[in-house]
Amino acid sequence: MAVRPITIIGHKALHQPTKKVKEITDATRVLIDDMFDTLEAANGAGLAANQVGVRQRIFVFDCEDGAGTAHRGYVINPVLERGPVPPGDPDPEEGSEGCLSVPGEAFPTARATWARVTGTDLDGNEVVVEADGGTLARCLQHETDHLDGKLYLDRLTPTYRTDARQALKMRGWQDDHITKWDPTTEKAEDI
C-alpha cells in the first residue's frame, strides 16, 4: 500500500470519462488500497481513481451521512441516482465544497440532499450506498462526477464561477501548467 500523487485541475485524466472495470485483478485491489492510503494522507472525504491518474470507474469514501454516522467504503462501476438540485445560488454556509484536485479552494456548490450509488465490490457483490444529507450525499455526487470527467467547478453557478476562475488564475493552474500534489509533503510538482 502506498500514497499516490493526486492529479491537479488541468490534468487530462480529470477531464475525461473513466472506463468501466471489466475484470478485477491484483492491480485493482492494490489501487483501492492505495486510494484509501492517499485519501487518509490528504484528509479527504472521497477520492476517484482518475484523481490518482487511473482511468477506471472506482471511488473510495470516508465521511458522515446526514445523521452523523461515519461511512467508509469503495464502489466499483458506480451508477448515481439523486434527488433534485435546488435552483439558484447555494447557501455559502451549507453548500461549500472542496476537492483534493483543487487543493486549498472551496466554493458553494448546489447538490441534491439525497443520493444513492449502486455498483459492485471486489468480489462482484452488489454495493448500494445511500445518504440523505451530510457529507456522504455530497461525496457520492462529487466522486461520480469525477468518474464522468467533471469537476465540482463545472457545477458552480455563474456567481461563484467567476470567483473560482480568479482563484485558479492566481494559483497559476492552467491547462499548459499541470502539476501533481503529494499529500504526504503537501507540495505540488510539475509533471
Coordinates of all heavy atoms in Angstrom, one line a residue, residues 112-164:
A112 N -27.9 17.9 -4.7 CA -29.1 17.2 -4.1 C -28.8 16.8 -2.7 O -27.7 16.4 -2.4 CB -29.5 16.0 -5.0
T113 N -29.8 16.8 -1.8 CA -29.6 16.4 -0.5 C -29.6 14.9 -0.4 O -29.0 14.3 0.6 CB -30.6 17.0 0.5 OG1 -31.9 16.6 0.1 CG2 -30.4 18.5 0.6
W114 N -30.3 14.2 -1.3 CA -30.4 12.7 -1.3 C -29.6 12.2 -2.5 O -29.7 12.7 -3.6 CB -31.8 12.3 -1.3 CG -31.9 10.8 -1.5 CD1 -31.9 9.8 -0.5 CD2 -32.1 10.0 -2.7 NE1 -32.0 8.6 -1.0 CE2 -32.1 8.7 -2.4 CE3 -32.1 10.4 -4.0 CZ2 -32.2 7.6 -3.3 CZ3 -32.3 9.4 -5.0 CH2 -32.3 8.0 -4.6
A115 N -28.8 11.1 -2.3 CA -28.1 10.5 -3.4 C -27.9 9.0 -3.0 O -27.8 8.6 -1.9 CB -26.7 11.1 -3.6
R116 N -27.8 8.2 -4.1 CA -27.5 6.8 -3.9 C -26.7 6.3 -5.1 O -26.9 6.7 -6.3 CB -28.8 6.0 -3.9 CG -28.6 4.4 -3.9 CD -29.9 3.6 -3.8 NE -30.9 4.1 -4.7 CZ -32.2 4.0 -4.3 NH1 -32.6 3.6 -3.2 NH2 -33.1 4.4 -5.2
V117 N -25.7 5.5 -4.8 CA -24.9 4.9 -5.9 C -25.1 3.4 -5.7 O -25.1 2.8 -4.6 CB -23.4 5.2 -5.9 CG1 -23.2 6.7 -6.3 CG2 -22.7 4.9 -4.6
T118 N -25.1 2.7 -6.9 CA -25.1 1.2 -6.9 C -23.9 0.8 -7.7 O -23.6 1.5 -8.7 CB -26.4 0.6 -7.5 OG1 -26.6 1.2 -8.8 CG2 -27.6 0.9 -6.6
G119 N -23.2 -0.2 -7.4 CA -22.1 -0.8 -8.1 C -21.8 -2.1 -7.5 O -22.6 -2.9 -7.0
T120 N -20.5 -2.4 -7.5 CA -20.0 -3.7 -7.0 C -18.8 -3.6 -6.2 O -18.1 -2.5 -6.2 CB -19.7 -4.7 -8.2 OG1 -18.6 -4.2 -9.0 CG2 -20.9 -5.0 -9.1
D121 N -18.5 -4.7 -5.4 CA -17.3 -4.7 -4.6 C -16.2 -5.6 -5.4 O -16.5 -6.0 -6.5 CB -17.5 -5.2 -3.2 CG -18.0 -6.7 -3.1 OD1 -17.9 -7.4 -4.1 OD2 -18.4 -7.1 -2.0
L122 N -15.1 -5.8 -4.8 CA -14.0 -6.6 -5.4 C -14.4 -8.1 -5.7 O -13.8 -8.7 -6.5 CB -12.8 -6.6 -4.5 CG -12.0 -5.3 -4.5 CD1 -11.0 -5.2 -3.4 CD2 -11.4 -5.0 -5.8
D123 N -15.5 -8.6 -5.0 CA -15.9 -9.9 -5.3 C -17.1 -10.0 -6.2 O -17.7 -11.1 -6.4 CB -16.2 -10.6 -3.9 CG -15.0 -10.7 -3.0 OD1 -13.9 -11.0 -3.5 OD2 -15.2 -10.4 -1.8
G124 N -17.5 -8.9 -6.8 CA -18.6 -8.9 -7.7 C -20.0 -8.7 -7.0 O -21.0 -8.8 -7.7
N125 N -20.0 -8.6 -5.7 CA -21.3 -8.4 -5.0 C -21.8 -7.0 -5.2 O -21.0 -6.0 -5.2 CB -21.1 -8.7 -3.5 CG -20.6 -10.1 -3.2 OD1 -21.1 -11.0 -3.7 ND2 -19.5 -10.2 -2.4
E126 N -23.1 -6.9 -5.2 CA -23.7 -5.5 -5.3 C -23.4 -4.7 -4.1 O -23.5 -5.2 -3.0 CB -25.2 -5.6 -5.5 CG -25.9 -4.3 -5.8 CD -27.4 -4.3 -5.9 OE1 -28.1 -4.9 -5.1 OE2 -27.8 -3.8 -6.9
V127 N -23.1 -3.4 -4.3 CA -22.9 -2.4 -3.3 C -23.9 -1.3 -3.5 O -24.1 -0.8 -4.6 CB -21.5 -1.8 -3.4 CG1 -21.3 -0.7 -2.4 CG2 -20.4 -2.9 -3.1
V128 N -24.6 -0.9 -2.5 CA -25.5 0.2 -2.5 C -25.2 1.1 -1.4 O -25.1 0.7 -0.2 CB -27.0 -0.2 -2.3 CG1 -27.9 1.0 -2.4 CG2 -27.4 -1.2 -3.4
V129 N -24.9 2.4 -1.7 CA -24.6 3.4 -0.7 C -25.6 4.5 -0.9 O -25.7 5.1 -2.0 CB -23.1 3.9 -0.8 CG1 -22.8 4.9 0.3 CG2 -22.1 2.8 -0.8
E130 N -26.3 4.8 0.2 CA -27.4 5.9 0.1 C -27.2 6.8 1.2 O -26.8 6.4 2.4 CB -28.7 5.2 0.2 CG -29.9 6.1 0.0 CD -31.2 5.4 -0.1 OE1 -31.3 4.2 -0.2 OE2 -32.2 6.1 0.0
A131 N -27.4 8.1 1.0 CA -27.3 9.1 2.0 C -28.4 10.2 1.8 O -28.7 10.6 0.7 CB -26.0 9.7 2.0
D132 N -29.0 10.6 2.9 CA -29.9 11.7 2.9 C -29.3 12.9 3.7 O -29.3 12.9 4.9 CB -31.2 11.3 3.5 CG -32.3 12.3 3.2 OD1 -32.1 13.3 2.5 OD2 -33.5 12.1 3.7
G133 N -28.6 13.7 3.0 CA -27.9 14.8 3.7 C -26.5 14.4 4.1 O -26.0 13.3 3.9
G134 N -25.8 15.4 4.7 CA -24.4 15.2 5.2 C -23.4 15.2 4.1 O -23.7 15.3 2.9
T135 N -22.2 15.0 4.5 CA -21.1 15.0 3.5 C -21.2 13.8 2.6 O -20.8 13.9 1.4 CB -19.7 14.9 4.3 OG1 -19.7 16.1 5.2 CG2 -18.6 15.0 3.4
L136 N -21.7 12.7 3.1 CA -21.8 11.5 2.2 C -22.6 11.7 1.0 O -22.2 11.3 -0.1 CB -22.3 10.3 3.0 CG -22.4 8.9 2.3 CD1 -21.0 8.6 1.7 CD2 -22.9 7.9 3.2
A137 N -23.8 12.3 1.1 CA -24.6 12.6 -0.1 C -23.9 13.5 -1.1 O -23.9 13.2 -2.3 CB -25.9 13.3 0.3
R138 N -23.2 14.5 -0.6 CA -22.4 15.3 -1.5 C -21.3 14.6 -2.1 O -21.0 14.7 -3.3 CB -21.9 16.5 -0.7 CG -21.1 17.6 -1.4 CD -20.8 18.8 -0.6 NE -21.9 19.5 -0.2 CZ -22.5 20.4 -1.0 NH1 -22.0 20.7 -2.2 NH2 -23.6 21.1 -0.6
C139 N -20.6 13.7 -1.3 CA -19.4 12.9 -1.8 C -19.8 12.0 -2.9 O -19.1 11.9 -3.9 CB -18.8 12.2 -0.6 SG -17.4 11.1 -1.0
L140 N -21.0 11.3 -2.8 CA -21.4 10.4 -3.8 C -21.5 11.1 -5.1 O -21.1 10.5 -6.2 CB -22.7 9.7 -3.4 CG -22.7 8.8 -2.1 CD1 -24.1 8.3 -1.8 CD2 -21.7 7.7 -2.2
Q141 N -22.1 12.3 -5.1 CA -22.3 13.0 -6.3 C -21.0 13.6 -6.9 O -20.7 13.5 -8.1 CB -23.3 14.2 -6.1 CG -24.7 13.7 -5.7 CD -25.5 14.8 -5.1 OE1 -26.1 15.6 -5.9 NE2 -25.7 14.9 -3.8
H142 N -20.1 14.1 -6.0 CA -18.8 14.6 -6.3 C -17.9 13.6 -7.0 O -17.4 13.8 -8.0 CB -18.2 15.2 -5.1 CG -16.9 15.8 -5.3 ND1 -16.7 17.2 -5.2 CD2 -15.6 15.3 -5.5 CE1 -15.4 17.5 -5.4 NE2 -14.7 16.4 -5.6
E143 N -17.8 12.4 -6.4 CA -16.9 11.4 -6.9 C -17.4 10.8 -8.2 O -16.7 10.5 -9.1 CB -16.7 10.3 -5.8 CG -16.0 10.8 -4.5 CD -14.8 11.7 -4.7 OE1 -14.0 11.5 -5.7 OE2 -14.6 12.6 -3.9
T144 N -18.8 10.6 -8.3 CA -19.3 10.1 -9.6 C -19.1 11.2 -10.7 O -18.8 10.8 -11.8 CB -20.8 9.8 -9.4 OG1 -21.0 8.9 -8.3 CG2 -21.4 9.2 -10.7
D145 N -19.2 12.4 -10.4 CA -18.8 13.5 -11.3 C -17.4 13.3 -11.8 O -17.1 13.4 -13.0 CB -19.0 14.9 -10.7 CG -20.4 15.5 -10.9 OD1 -21.2 14.8 -11.5 OD2 -20.6 16.5 -10.3
H146 N -16.5 13.1 -10.9 CA -15.1 12.8 -11.3 C -15.0 11.7 -12.3 O -14.3 11.8 -13.3 CB -14.2 12.5 -10.1 CG -13.6 13.6 -9.3 ND1 -12.8 14.5 -10.0 CD2 -13.7 14.0 -8.0 CE1 -12.4 15.4 -9.1 NE2 -12.9 15.1 -7.9
L147 N -15.7 10.6 -12.0 CA -15.6 9.5 -12.9 C -16.2 9.8 -14.3 O -15.9 9.1 -15.3 CB -16.2 8.3 -12.3 CG -15.6 7.8 -10.9 CD1 -16.4 6.7 -10.3 CD2 -14.1 7.5 -11.1
D148 N -17.1 10.8 -14.3 CA -17.7 11.2 -15.6 C -16.9 12.3 -16.3 O -17.3 12.8 -17.3 CB -19.1 11.7 -15.4 CG -20.1 10.6 -15.0 OD1 -19.8 9.4 -15.2 OD2 -21.1 10.9 -14.3
G149 N -15.7 12.6 -15.7 CA -14.8 13.7 -16.3 C -15.2 15.1 -15.9 O -14.9 16.0 -16.6
K150 N -15.9 15.3 -14.8 CA -16.3 16.6 -14.4 C -15.8 16.9 -13.0 O -15.6 16.0 -12.2 CB -17.9 16.7 -14.3 CG -18.6 16.5 -15.6 CD -20.1 16.7 -15.4 CE -21.0 16.6 -16.6 NZ -20.4 16.5 -17.9
L151 N -15.5 18.2 -12.8 CA -15.1 18.7 -11.5 C -16.2 19.5 -10.9 O -17.1 19.9 -11.6 CB -13.9 19.6 -11.7 CG -12.6 19.0 -12.1 CD1 -11.5 20.0 -12.4 CD2 -12.1 18.0 -11.1
Y152 N -16.2 19.6 -9.6 CA -17.2 20.4 -8.9 C -17.3 21.8 -9.5 O -18.4 22.4 -9.5 CB -17.1 20.3 -7.4 CG -16.1 21.3 -6.8 CD1 -16.6 22.5 -6.2 CD2 -14.8 21.1 -6.8 CE1 -15.7 23.4 -5.6 CE2 -13.9 22.0 -6.3 CZ -14.4 23.2 -5.6 OH -13.5 24.1 -5.1
L153 N -16.2 22.3 -10.0 CA -16.1 23.7 -10.5 C -17.1 23.8 -11.7 O -17.6 24.9 -12.0 CB -14.7 24.0 -10.9 CG -13.7 24.0 -9.8 CD1 -12.3 24.3 -10.4 CD2 -14.0 25.0 -8.7
D154 N -17.3 22.7 -12.4 CA -18.2 22.7 -13.6 C -19.7 22.8 -13.1 O -20.5 23.2 -14.0 CB -18.1 21.3 -14.3 CG -16.7 21.1 -14.9 OD1 -16.0 22.1 -15.3 OD2 -16.3 19.9 -15.0
R155 N -20.0 22.6 -11.9 CA -21.3 22.7 -11.3 C -21.6 24.1 -10.7 O -22.7 24.3 -10.2 CB -21.5 21.6 -10.3 CG -21.4 20.2 -10.8 CD -22.7 19.6 -11.0 NE -22.5 18.2 -11.5 CZ -23.3 17.7 -12.4 NH1 -24.2 18.5 -13.0 NH2 -23.1 16.5 -12.8
L156 N -20.6 25.0 -10.6 CA -20.8 26.2 -10.0 C -21.8 27.1 -10.7 O -21.8 27.1 -12.0 CB -19.5 27.0 -9.8 CG -18.4 26.3 -8.9 CD1 -17.1 27.1 -8.9 CD2 -18.9 26.0 -7.5
T157 N -22.6 27.9 -10.0 CA -23.4 28.9 -10.6 C -22.5 30.1 -11.1 O -21.4 30.2 -10.7 CB -24.5 29.4 -9.6 OG1 -23.8 30.0 -8.5 CG2 -25.4 28.3 -9.1
P158 N -23.1 30.9 -12.0 CA -22.2 32.0 -12.5 C -21.7 32.9 -11.4 O -20.6 33.4 -11.5 CB -23.2 32.8 -13.4 CG -24.2 31.7 -13.9 CD -24.3 30.8 -12.7
T159 N -22.4 33.1 -10.3 CA -22.0 33.9 -9.2 C -20.6 33.4 -8.7 O -19.7 34.2 -8.4 CB -23.0 33.9 -8.1 OG1 -24.3 34.3 -8.6 CG2 -22.6 34.7 -6.9
Y160 N -20.5 32.1 -8.5 CA -19.3 31.5 -7.9 C -18.3 31.1 -9.0 O -17.1 30.9 -8.6 CB -19.6 30.4 -7.0 CG -20.5 30.8 -5.8 CD1 -21.8 30.5 -5.7 CD2 -19.9 31.6 -4.9 CE1 -22.6 30.9 -4.7 CE2 -20.7 32.1 -3.8 CZ -22.0 31.7 -3.7 OH -22.8 32.2 -2.7
R161 N -18.7 30.9 -10.2 CA -17.8 30.5 -11.3 C -16.7 31.6 -11.5 O -15.5 31.3 -11.7 CB -18.5 30.2 -12.5 CG -17.7 29.5 -13.6 CD -18.5 29.1 -14.8 NE -19.6 28.2 -14.4 CZ -20.9 28.3 -14.7 NH1 -21.3 29.3 -15.5 NH2 -21.7 27.4 -14.3
T162 N -17.1 32.8 -11.4 CA -16.1 33.9 -11.6 C -15.1 33.9 -10.5 O -13.9 34.1 -10.7 CB -16.9 35.3 -11.6 OG1 -17.8 35.3 -12.7 CG2 -15.9 36.5 -11.8
D163 N -15.5 33.7 -9.2 CA -14.6 33.6 -8.1 C -13.6 32.5 -8.3 O -12.4 32.6 -8.0 CB -15.4 33.5 -6.8 CG -16.2 34.7 -6.4 OD1 -16.0 35.8 -7.0 OD2 -17.1 34.5 -5.6
A164 N -14.1 31.4 -8.8 CA -13.3 30.2 -9.0 C -12.2 30.4 -10.0 O -11.1 30.1 -9.9 CB -14.1 29.0 -9.3

